[in-house]
Amino acid sequence: MVTRTESMQPHTLASSLDDSVEVFLKRILEINAKVNGELIRDAYRFSWNAHRDQVRKSGEPFLAHPIAVALILAEQQLDSVTIAAGLLHDVLEDTPFRREDIRDAFGEEIALLVDGVTKIRTFQMKSRQERQAETFRKMLLSMAQDLRVIIIKFADRLHNLRTLNYLPPERIKDIATETLDIYAPLAHRLGMARIKWELEDLAFKYLYPHRYKTIVSRIVESRHDRETVIDRFAVPLRRRLETEKLEATVVGRPKHFYSIYRKMEQRNKPFEEIYDLLAIRVITRSIADCYHILGIIHSLWKPITDRFKDYIATPKSNGYQSLHTTVVGTEGNIIEMQIRTWEMNQIAEDGIAAHWLYKNGDGGGTSQLTKDDHALTWLKNLIEWQKDLTDSNEFLEFFKIDLFHAEIFVFTPKGDLISLPKGATVLDFAFAVHTDLGLHCIGAKVDGKIEPIHAVLRSGSTVEVLHLASKKPSINWLREVKTPKARSAVRRWLKSTGRQESIELGKKIVRTRLKKLHLHSSFTDHVPALLQHLGVNSLERLYELIGTGEIPMGRVTQYFEVKKVRQSVSSRVVSSLVDTFTGRKREVLVGNNDNLMVRFARCCNPVPGDSIVGFVTHGRGISVHRTDCSNAALFAGDEERTIRVNWDTGAKKRYLVFLEIQASDRAGLLHDCTSVLSDAGANVVEGTIHTENERVHNRFKIEIVNRNQLRQIIRKLERIKGVTNVSRTRDYDQLADGG
Ligand code: MN
């Protein structure tokens, strides 16, 4: 790739590129003399070429950004591969080069890192919540591949924050908020304190510029007083360490504006009171020296006993180790002392990033964290737990608890130490000890006193879990747990038992409904065909889907109804109903099932004589359409649902009759005539009235069933007042079956 890069460049630029490569490499080597110069040179040239036409919002060449990111990485003592990937980190996002180009030029390891950083990018159109959840998820997954991806991403974010001024205000606010919500807590969790502090202070500056300025100026103002107090402790301590021949550095703790601001907010206290809490850090060579120095400090000043913490014996879950003690000076000043080795200090400041310094001497090649690493275990669990969380709100809520909360330390009855987030309950503790213990937990003895499952634990307590084999988790437990492990275990349990219950319910539904169907053959014989018909791969799964309602039972019964109708279609019975529009009876033949519901489709309203077809509908019996109906065409291909139906030619026929009524005209005559007809059950199809010199000729076209009915109608008509003659004008006129 290097040759390709060079050949693509005009000769005049090549010499200036050579110059800038060497200037950059010199700076890197000053920070870390062990870096692989050739690799850095190649990566620099590649990035220079890829970004050559781009400028940043500030107007400077784009390359300034990857250079700055690479320098941040070098300062953290990261290996050459990571520094090279830092130089290349924006190539895939902003230039025509692809992952394969980087792989061909630099190999798979660097390609993976650059690709990983690129993938963390999220899109603007989503809501802030969704975007944060997505960013976070992507970070977790990228970290699982190689933790250095996230270290590069942090360096990228850090440099972007340092140069945020050129973006529009809303974007600045968005980036600063995301930094405080996600990047800083994650950096903290990975033990990268230095990065975390700088991210927080920069974001704080952008989000609350006024408050930021106030705190900075007050720190500057109080500097002299502060240094005076620190010296009251530091000077005698240094002198004593010298006489004891202990090699150690004593420094005032660096200040972090955002953490001071947070403490003021949280404790609702003024600046002075927060900043009274001074601290000194003592860094030495060995763990033995740490304890030795602790003894010296306690001999010089009086310790506040409950403030002593031994994070060397029991490291925090992000790997942090140190001795903390708070002492009271002769003039009543209170100061915290942190005692640690140089290695502990490095890990305290750079967290997982420090592993590449201590575990890779030459600063090159493949790097792996050890399996027992705290941060890595936490990360693996996190990736496992996040699978259960699909809702972005819940996802963020869940991880904020795991990221932000301070830790508490509690003990098992055997004296094993368990660390939990602040606010953790008895239930969290039970799950932390063992999942089975959690699932059957009914409470605990906390320092000998019985407490319920939702009791919040305090640091230093000894907790003995009380359990009962018959106890089972409930959905309410999700509210009682704080830790991802417990939450995930409860969810998994609820899910698996929920499934079992659905299967049982589905089985019950199928059994009762099939009984009503009176199947000719056993259900088992139908199972393979039924599963295929419904597109389900096992009977158990079918029960589950019916139990949850995802497959309506109607689809199963319909399958059998169709089968049954098909089996018995040879025997003929009449199914009929009265058409609501015309009052006419229409009869069709469908099969031998007298329970079968038949209805005529309203879309085409078939009448006897029309060519018809039936469809098995869901829950509404058989629907009869005209074969030329457009709705019928929709089902035409569905063999399972189509059923042959015929007009019942053996059913009672109806006949058309014309009656002529002669009468002398009077009011209400017509009404009296039609009343007689309808009372007798005849259907009036047509009626005409002729009036001539007080004489009336009424003609009716009616439908009748038989001769007897006609005779009765005529007799009743003749009795109407004023009617002089009733006669049939034509003989029986059969309603044509063929239309
Ligand atoms: Mn970038």
Side-chain angles (χ1 to χ4, degrees):
M1 198 60 225
V2 176
T3 29
R4 179 175 151 192
T5 310
E6 284 175 339
S7 68
M8 284 167 75
Q9 287 157 13
H11 218 71
T12 45
L13 278 174
S15 65
S16 82
L17 167 63
D18 284 342
D19 287 348
S20 72
V21 171
E22 295 315 317
V23 170
F24 175 74
L25 187 61
K26 199 169 158 256
R27 284 183 70 184
I28 293 283
L29 287 168
E30 278 164 12
I31 300 166
N32 183 352
K34 290 176 198 158
V35 295
N36 177 344
E38 269 318 297
L39 177 62
I40 301 300
R41 267 196 199 98
D42 290 349
Y44 187 96
R45 285 170 191 274
F46 193 106
S47 185
W48 188 91
N49 179 54
H51 295 298
R52 57 200 293 185
D53 296 327
Q54 296 172 309
V55 285
R56 300 198 86 206
K57 288 249 168 27
S58 62
E60 61 181 338
F62 188 87
L63 192 67
H65 170 61
I67 285 175
V69 169
L71 284 169
I72 292 169
L73 294 167
E75 276 158 14
Q76 287 177 274
Q77 304 294 321
L78 282 153
D79 58 332
S80 309
V81 164
T82 314
I83 296 169
L87 281 169
L88 298 163
H89 83 272
D90 270 330
V91 165
L92 296 183
E93 187 172 331
D94 301 329
T95 79
F97 290 95
R98 293 160 305 145
R99 190 189 196 280
E100 297 79 66
D101 300 322
I102 292 184
R103 192 195 55 212
D104 293 348
F106 300 100
E108 181 56 34
E109 191 182 4
I110 289 179
L112 183 136
L113 291 175
V114 175
D115 195 37
V117 175
T118 311
K119 279 180 181 152
I120 292 172
R121 181 177 167 227
T122 48
F123 298 95
Q124 284 299 312
M125 53 262 203
K126 295 181 175 171
S127 78
R128 209 181 97 195
Q129 287 269 335
E130 282 175 315
R131 214 163 55 226
Q132 287 196 350
E134 190 189 326
T135 304
F136 204 0
R137 242 183 243 274
K138 284 179 174 175
M139 281 179 160
L140 290 179
L141 296 175
S142 72
M143 284 192 288
Q145 285 204 297
D146 192 318
L147 278 166
R148 288 173 297 178
V149 170
I150 211 71
I151 296 171
I152 298 167
K153 190 66 194 170
F154 281 136
D156 178 41
R157 173 53 60 104
L158 190 55
H159 184 247
N160 282 334
L161 274 177
R162 284 177 186 168
T163 55
L164 212 52
N165 291 322
Y166 301 95
L167 291 179
E170 326 82 67
R171 276 291 289 148
I172 291 180
K173 202 170 169 247
D174 223 37
I175 291 173
T177 309
E178 188 188 50
T179 303
L180 286 184
D181 283 352
I182 290 189
Y183 284 78
L186 194 54
H188 169 72
R189 206 59 183 70
L190 297 171
M192 302 167 74
R194 267 206 297 184
I195 292 270
K196 177 208 156 191
W197 286 323
E198 193 176 349
L199 287 172
E200 280 183 346
D201 284 351
L202 284 167
F204 177 43
K205 189 173 101 182
Y206 289 114
L207 280 177
Y208 308 103
H210 187 71
R211 289 175 230 189
Y212 176 82
K213 266 184 212 146
T214 311
I215 287 177
V216 171
S217 66
R218 297 183 89 166
I219 286 171
V220 173
E221 284 163 21
S222 62
R223 189 169 166 181
H224 180 74
D225 293 350
R226 198 171 62 244
E227 283 176 352
T228 311
V229 175
I230 284 178
D231 282 349
R232 274 185 205 138
F233 292 91
V235 172
L237 180 58
R238 283 196 194 104
R239 206 176 299 138
R240 181 71 184 275
L241 293 175
E242 234 165 79
T243 54
E244 300 268 346
K245 302 245 180 314
L246 281 163
E247 205 179 290
T249 303
V250 179
V251 288
R253 190 174 64 170
K255 55 209 160 287
H256 304 107
F257 309 125
Y258 184 65
S259 68
I260 293 166
Y261 169 71
R262 273 260 298 267
K263 278 179 188 158
M264 285 167 63
E265 291 279 288
Q266 280 168 3
R267 299 179 196 170
N268 197 21
K269 280 187 173 171
F271 175 81
E272 291 73 23
E273 279 179 52
I274 297 297
Y275 216 59
D276 269 355
L277 299 166
L278 298 172
I280 282 176
R281 187 169 293 162
V282 185
I283 310 164
T284 187
R285 292 168 306 180
S286 68
I287 290 176
D289 284 358
C290 289
Y291 287 102
H292 192 169
I293 292 167
L294 178 75
I296 289 168
I297 290 168
H298 284 179
S299 70
L300 286 171
W301 301 283
K302 188 178 160 17
I304 301 172
T305 42
D306 67 349
R307 294 287 300 269
F308 171 69
K309 285 171 196 128
D310 186 347
Y311 293 122
I312 291 178
T314 56
K316 286 192 184 182
S317 56
N318 63 11
Y320 177 87
Q321 283 186 297
S322 196
L323 296 174
H324 288 191
T325 186
T326 303
V327 296
V328 189
T330 41
E331 284 165 60
N333 301 111
I334 291 171
I335 200 160
E336 185 183 72
M337 304 265 189
Q338 302 175 342
I339 310 147
R340 56 178 73 156
T341 65
W342 286 105
E343 183 172 350
M344 288 172 195
N345 191 53
Q346 177 80 34
I347 289 169
E349 293 194 328
D350 293 332
I352 52 159
H355 289 269
W356 279 274
L357 173 68
Y358 282 96
K359 287 164 189 170
N360 298 278
D362 66 353
T366 312
S367 313
Q368 285 296 321
L369 285 176
T370 54
K371 290 215 164 48
D372 56 54
D373 191 276
H374 287 287
L376 197 66
T377 312
W378 169 79
L379 183 62
K380 272 185 185 160
N381 287 333
L382 216 53
I383 288 161
E384 189 52 41
W385 296 326
Q386 63 96 27
K387 287 178 189 161
D388 294 336
L389 300 165
T390 45
D391 177 75
S392 60
N393 275 325
E394 197 186 14
F395 179 84
L396 285 176
E397 188 54 35
F398 178 54
F399 283 107
K400 275 179 181 167
I401 287 168
D402 200 64
L403 288 171
F404 283 106
H405 282 240
E407 284 177 285
I408 58 160
F409 296 94
V410 282
F411 299 92
T412 67
K414 283 180 190 164
D416 291 332
L417 185 90
I418 305 261
S419 91
L420 292 167
K422 208 171 177 180
T425 61
V426 163
L427 210 45
D428 287 306
F429 177 86
F431 277 105
V433 175
H434 197 280
T435 304
D436 275 342
L437 203 54
L439 291 173
H440 302 295
C441 176
I442 53 168
K445 268 190 199 167
V446 180
D447 296 328
K449 201 173 146 242
I450 291 181
E451 297 277 6
I453 55 167
H454 58 264
V456 174
L457 295 174
R458 292 215 333 260
S459 227
S461 299
T462 299
V463 185
E464 185 188 349
V465 175
L466 303 171
H467 57 101
L468 205 63
S470 58
K471 180 69 185 175
K472 284 172 185 170
S474 79
I475 193 135
N476 297 330
W477 281 26
L478 291 174
R479 285 202 303 264
E480 320 282 17
V481 294
K482 269 274 162 65
T483 54
K485 186 183 181 187
R487 193 168 241 275
S488 163
V490 172
R491 274 178 168 281
R492 207 165 297 150
W493 191 89
L494 290 172
K495 222 172 171 181
S496 73
T497 50
R499 180 167 180 266
Q500 206 49 50
E501 275 168 17
S502 296
I503 292 171
E504 290 306 317
L505 179 64
K507 228 183 242 177
K508 221 182 268 174
I509 293 173
V510 170
R511 244 182 245 142
T512 20
R513 295 291 293 276
L514 287 185
K515 222 175 266 173
K516 286 188 187 159
L517 276 175
H518 305 290
L519 288 182
H520 300 302
S521 43
S522 96
F523 175 63
T524 344
D525 297 342
H526 295 283
V527 168
L530 177 65
L531 293 179
Q532 204 195 358
H533 175 72
L534 296 169
V536 176
N537 52 27
S538 78
L539 183 58
E540 193 180 66
R541 178 78 181 139
L542 176 64
Y543 287 145
E544 186 191 346
L545 291 172
I546 288 171
T548 59
E550 277 167 78
I551 288 186
M553 185 57 199
R555 283 189 66 195
V556 177
T557 47
Q558 178 193 306
Y559 173 85
F560 286 108
E561 271 165 8
V562 171
K563 274 227 156 353
K564 219 170 131 182
V565 166
R566 289 186 166 278
Q567 281 163 2
S568 56
V569 88
S570 50
S571 51
R572 300 155 45 114
V573 292
V574 175
S575 232
S576 65
L577 82 169
V578 177
D579 186 288
T580 45
F581 289 134
T582 64
R584 272 182 290 182
K585 278 191 160 190
R586 289 177 296 190
E587 289 122 7
V588 289
L589 292 172
V590 280
N592 71 345
N593 192 327
D594 45 7
N595 289 327
L596 221 49
M597 191 161 80
V598 176
R599 58 186 195 92
F600 292 96
R602 291 201 177 185
C603 49
C604 52
N605 196 34
V607 292
D610 288 336
S611 163
I612 50 174
V613 60
F615 297 105
V616 181
T617 64
H618 170 49
R620 295 172 71 194
I622 291 167
S623 155
V624 177
H625 291 259
R626 278 163 39 187
T627 45
D628 59 356
C629 170
S630 59
N631 286 335
L634 295 176
F635 301 99
D638 196 343
E639 285 286 311
E640 288 287 338
R641 297 185 59 187
T642 309
I643 195 153
R644 243 163 60 97
V645 290
N646 293 302
W647 293 110
D648 180 21
T649 47
K652 287 177 182 170
K653 287 176 187 149
R654 317 187 126 253
Y655 303 92
L656 272 184
V657 175
F658 288 88
L659 289 179
E660 190 173 300
I661 302 167
Q662 295 182 4
S664 52
D665 199 16
R666 67 166 173 89
L669 178 72
L670 185 63
H671 173 260
D672 291 346
C673 293
T674 52
S675 295
V676 166
L677 292 169
S678 65
D679 288 351
N683 207 17
V684 179
V685 180
E686 241 178 73
T688 54
I689 303 157
H690 294 278
T691 313
E692 221 183 279
N693 302 329
E694 308 282 303
R695 298 298 304 169
V696 180
H697 296 269
N698 288 340
R699 274 191 183 187
F700 292 100
K701 187 182 180 182
I702 60 170
E703 274 178 19
I704 52 144
V705 179
N706 56 33
R707 216 180 268 264
N708 193 33
Q709 189 191 12
L710 182 62
R711 221 178 284 131
Q712 284 178 20
I713 288 168
I714 291 172
R715 205 160 43 232
K716 280 181 182 167
L717 287 171
E718 281 171 346
R719 280 187 211 144
I720 292 171
K721 193 184 160 195
V723 171
T724 52
N725 183 38
V726 179
S727 60
R728 278 169 64 194
T729 57
R730 243 190 271 177
D731 211 335
Y732 285 107
D733 191 356
Q734 193 187 326
L735 182 69
D737 229 340

